[in-house]
């Protein structure tokens, strides 16, 4: 069996992955807060953990892996959006979840086995909060319930900081009902205009962190294998998850392996609206950039390094995928290349796996296609953008013009047509064997009209 090695944030080193139960490998990944379109940075953890999910299923069996990713559908940002638009909150979250599914499907990401919505697990959150209060790890004051951070001696172990250092360097909410500045909210009161549920502490709603602890416990147990997310969640979200989960259920260890992906940049700069380089996944798709191209660009960088989206990478990825699809158009997939699997098993080395695909593309086409499909490329679902491009008539016309030019020694017509084809994004290959035309980066069929 393939040995998977992962860089565990918890230990700060690469470790052999040993599941608690090889017949029931369990992974939880923090999902989106659903009030707007997912931006490109939101797509990075989706694609990173999609690759890990595929690898785990390949190694342990498709029915032996459970992947859970939540939807945060109770949040102040959602409340603000509802207040601004006058729309019911459920309408907003349902619509946004639909957008999210459409956009991530367009990138070739497999959907998790379970996608719990926070609002459907309020009872489990209340139960966990009650357990924390009973064990002295939480307290109620002025309708709020707060977690006693200093009651958990290992707080800060994931991010490697002490509580006092965190207080000095973090923006912590100062409130009169807190015993300690680092204590965080498990439950807070709601007014009549704000969504809420009945609880032992009055009408209110959960804090952000408790939802992941409660849902992961209910769906995966007190101990499970992998917890993932962006490195921006390491503190405070993941630290808080660990503290409340381990205090509520000391019989478990919560997550054994922690994986965090780095952030995204655009042309070497942090993506932000103020710089004008902020865009959603849907923005790219509507610009005509295929989701498969986005997938190849983003997986071209190891998840532990900042990923830089550039126009150059996009164009190269589009050309690569056109070539790969032309190469495998009539090929039946064979077996996945073991060397590619081993490369991915080395801490999700997606860049190395893509390099291996380039090598395989020069050899056995059946193995190459199977390996590309394994990584989520060249699927029928993602292939519409490259389908239906028949340049045979243009190739025949250019061949005829070239044959005439060989007689007259006037190649101006050849040069003119070649230029028109290239302006339309067509790669022109001419040799003694004939003329070959391939759709290239930026291919635009509309520009071929009139040729």
């Amino acid at each position: 069996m393939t040995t998977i090695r992962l860089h565990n944030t918890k230990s700060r080193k690469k470790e052999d992955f040993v599941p608690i139960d090889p017949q029931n490998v369990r992974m939880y990944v923090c999902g989106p807060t659903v009030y707007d379109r997912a931006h490109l940075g939101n797509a990075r953890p989706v694609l990173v953990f999609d690759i890990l999910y595929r690898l785990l299923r390949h190694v342990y069996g498709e029915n032996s892996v459970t992947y859970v990713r939540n939807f945060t559908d109770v949040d102040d940002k959602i409340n603000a959006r509802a207040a601004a638009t006058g729309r019911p909150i459920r309408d907003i979250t349902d619509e946004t979840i639909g957008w999210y599914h459409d956009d991530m499907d367009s990138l070739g990401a497999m959907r998790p086995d379970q996608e719990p919505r926070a609002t459907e697990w309020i009872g489990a959150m209340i139960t966990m909060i009650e357990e924390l209060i009973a064990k002295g790890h939480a307290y109620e004051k002025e309708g709020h319930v707060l977690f006693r951070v200093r009651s958990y001696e290992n707080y800060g172990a994931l991010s490697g900081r002490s509580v006092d250092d965190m207080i000095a360097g973090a923006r912590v909410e100062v409130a009169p009902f807190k015993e300690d500045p680092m204590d965080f909210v498990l439950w807070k009161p709601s007014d009549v205009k704000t969504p809420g549920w009945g609880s032992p502490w009055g009408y209110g709603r959960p804090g952000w962190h408790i939802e992941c602890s409660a849902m992961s416990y209910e769906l995966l147990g007190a101990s499970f294998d992998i917890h993932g997310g962006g490195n921006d969640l390491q503190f405070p979200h993941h630290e808080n998850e660990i503290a409340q989960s381990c205090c509520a259920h000391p019989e478990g260890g919560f997550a054994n392996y922690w994986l965090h992906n780095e952030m995204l940049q655009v042309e070497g700069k942090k993506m932000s609206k103020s710089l004008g380089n902020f865009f959603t996944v849907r923005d790219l798709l509507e610009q005509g950039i295929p989701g498969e191209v986005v997938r190849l660009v983003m997986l071209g960088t190891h998840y532990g390094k900042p990923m830089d989206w550039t126009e150059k990478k996009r164009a190269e990825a589009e050309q690569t995928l056109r070539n790969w699809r032309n190469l495998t158009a009539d090929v039946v997939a064979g077996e996945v290349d073991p060397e590619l699997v081993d490369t991915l098993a080395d801490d999700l080395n997606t860049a190395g796996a893509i390099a291996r695909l380039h090598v395989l593309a020069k050899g056995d086409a059946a193995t190459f296609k199977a390996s590309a499909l394994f990584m989520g490329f060249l699927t029928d679902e993602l292939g519409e953008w490259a389908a239906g491009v028949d340049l045979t008539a243009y190739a025949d016309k250019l061949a005829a013009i070239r044959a005439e030019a060989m007689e007259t020694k006037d190649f101006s017509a050849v040069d003119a047509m070649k230029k028109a084809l290239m302006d339309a994004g067509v790669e022109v290959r001419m040799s003694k064997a004939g003329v070959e035309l391939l759709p290239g980066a930026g291919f635009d069929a509309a520009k071929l009209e009139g040729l």
Side-chain angles (χ1 to χ4, degrees):
M1 178 180 287
T2 301
T3 298
I4 299 174
R5 289 177 58 77
L6 301 172
H7 184 273
N8 190 351
T9 307
K10 188 176 179 180
S11 65
R12 294 171 182 73
K13 62 183 181 181
K14 193 185 294 187
E15 301 176 357
D16 287 354
F17 173 67
V18 181
I20 297 168
D21 178 2
Q23 302 302 313
N24 184 23
V25 182
R26 287 158 287 167
M27 177 170 71
Y28 187 96
V29 175
C30 291
T33 300
V34 285
Y35 67 97
D36 207 344
R37 287 279 188 185
H39 60 69
L40 188 58
N42 299 143
R44 193 173 195 200
V46 172
L47 294 178
V48 166
F49 291 102
D50 177 63
I51 288 292
L52 179 54
Y53 183 41
R54 291 168 183 267
L55 177 63
L56 292 170
R57 285 162 56 96
H58 183 80
V59 173
Y60 294 99
E62 293 183 3
N63 297 321
S64 297
V65 182
T66 301
Y67 174 18
V68 178
R69 185 181 65 215
N70 70 298
F71 285 118
T72 297
D73 61 345
V74 52
D75 182 85
D76 289 343
K77 291 180 180 178
I78 301 172
N79 298 340
R81 182 60 55 89
T85 61
R87 298 179 62 197
I89 284 175
R90 185 75 184 200
D91 285 0
I92 292 171
T93 57
D94 282 351
E95 178 182 61
T96 308
I97 288 172
W99 288 345
Y100 187 83
H101 278 148
D102 289 346
D103 292 347
M104 299 308 130
D105 289 351
S106 296
L107 303 185
M110 298 174 66
R111 294 192 187 182
D113 299 289
Q114 299 192 61
E115 295 180 291
R117 297 173 63 139
T119 54
E120 296 172 355
W121 295 87
I122 301 296
M125 297 178 211
I126 291 174
T127 298
M128 180 172 277
I129 294 170
E130 289 178 317
E131 292 172 345
L132 289 168
I133 292 174
K135 293 174 181 176
H137 295 293
Y139 57 95
E140 186 272 335
K141 195 168 184 181
E142 298 180 20
H144 295 76
V145 181
L146 297 106
F147 183 85
R148 283 192 177 97
V149 166
R150 293 184 191 273
S151 74
Y152 180 59
E153 63 180 7
N154 292 323
Y155 192 86
L158 184 70
S159 54
R161 293 177 288 179
S162 71
V163 173
D164 291 332
D165 288 342
M166 291 179 189
I167 291 175
R171 293 174 294 177
V172 294
E173 181 185 355
V174 178
F177 47 78
K178 283 189 175 185
E179 293 179 354
D180 186 284
M182 285 301 293
D183 292 350
F184 59 87
V185 173
L186 300 173
W187 189 265
K188 53 189 173 182
S190 295
D191 58 31
V192 293
K193 295 181 180 179
T194 307
W197 292 261
S199 81
W201 320 287
Y203 181 74
R205 60 198 190 280
W208 173 31
H209 315 295
I210 192 67
E211 66 175 88
C212 289
S213 288
M215 292 188 291
S216 63
Y217 174 73
E218 295 294 331
L219 297 172
L220 301 176
S223 297
F224 56 93
D225 298 299
I226 299 170
H227 195 312
N231 66 357
D232 58 322
L233 298 178
Q234 190 178 139
F235 176 79
H237 186 52
H238 290 163
E239 288 283 12
N240 292 353
E241 277 189 68
I242 293 171
Q244 61 202 9
S245 294
C246 290
C247 288
H249 300 287
E251 74 279 7
F254 198 42
N256 287 345
Y257 300 84
W258 286 83
L259 270 71
H260 292 93
N261 64 272
E262 261 285 357
M263 296 295 99
L264 175 133
Q265 299 175 330
V266 176
E267 301 289 350
K269 297 180 180 179
K270 181 180 179 180
M271 187 171 70
S272 70
K273 292 180 180 178
S274 62
L275 293 176
N277 65 352
F278 179 94
F279 41 80
T280 66
V281 172
R282 181 54 48 179
D283 290 336
L284 293 182
L285 296 173
E286 290 180 349
Q287 289 171 21
I289 300 175
E292 188 175 31
V293 170
V294 177
R295 183 182 184 90
L296 183 58
V297 172
M298 297 193 75
L299 292 179
T301 302
H302 187 270
Y303 75 90
K305 297 179 180 179
M307 190 269 139
D308 191 14
W309 174 273
T310 68
E311 173 59 24
K312 182 174 183 289
K313 289 180 180 178
R314 182 212 60 78
E316 290 174 347
E318 184 172 327
Q319 184 61 63
T320 292
L321 286 165
R322 285 193 186 279
N323 292 342
W324 285 357
R325 284 192 171 274
N326 287 332
L327 181 67
T328 59
D330 300 313
V331 174
V332 176
E335 297 295 325
V336 177
D337 176 55
E339 185 175 332
L340 181 140
V341 174
D342 288 342
T343 300
L344 272 186
D346 183 14
D347 197 27
L348 300 186
N349 184 2
T350 52
I354 291 171
R356 179 62 182 165
L357 285 178
H358 282 286
V359 173
L360 293 171
K362 301 174 183 177
D364 180 2
T367 299
F368 166 66
K369 186 169 186 177
S371 303
L373 290 170
F374 168 60
M375 290 192 65
F377 300 116
L378 308 188
T379 64
D380 291 340
E381 293 80 5
L382 296 185
E384 184 176 342
W385 69 278
V389 180
D390 186 356
L391 300 176
T392 304
Y394 300 100
D396 291 344
K397 182 176 181 179
L398 180 57
I401 293 174
R402 186 178 71 157
E404 183 177 346
M406 295 293 285
E407 295 291 332
T408 64
K409 306 303 180 183
D410 179 3
F411 289 88
S412 57
V414 174
D415 293 338
M417 184 170 184
K418 183 178 177 181
K419 182 180 183 302
L421 289 166
M422 293 172 66
D423 288 344
V426 177
E427 181 183 353
V428 180
R429 298 178 182 178
M430 294 191 295
S431 65
K432 292 181 179 179
V435 174
E436 183 181 12
L437 303 181
L438 298 173
F443 173 72
D444 186 352
K447 292 183 178 180
L448 295 177
E449 295 179 6
L451 281 183

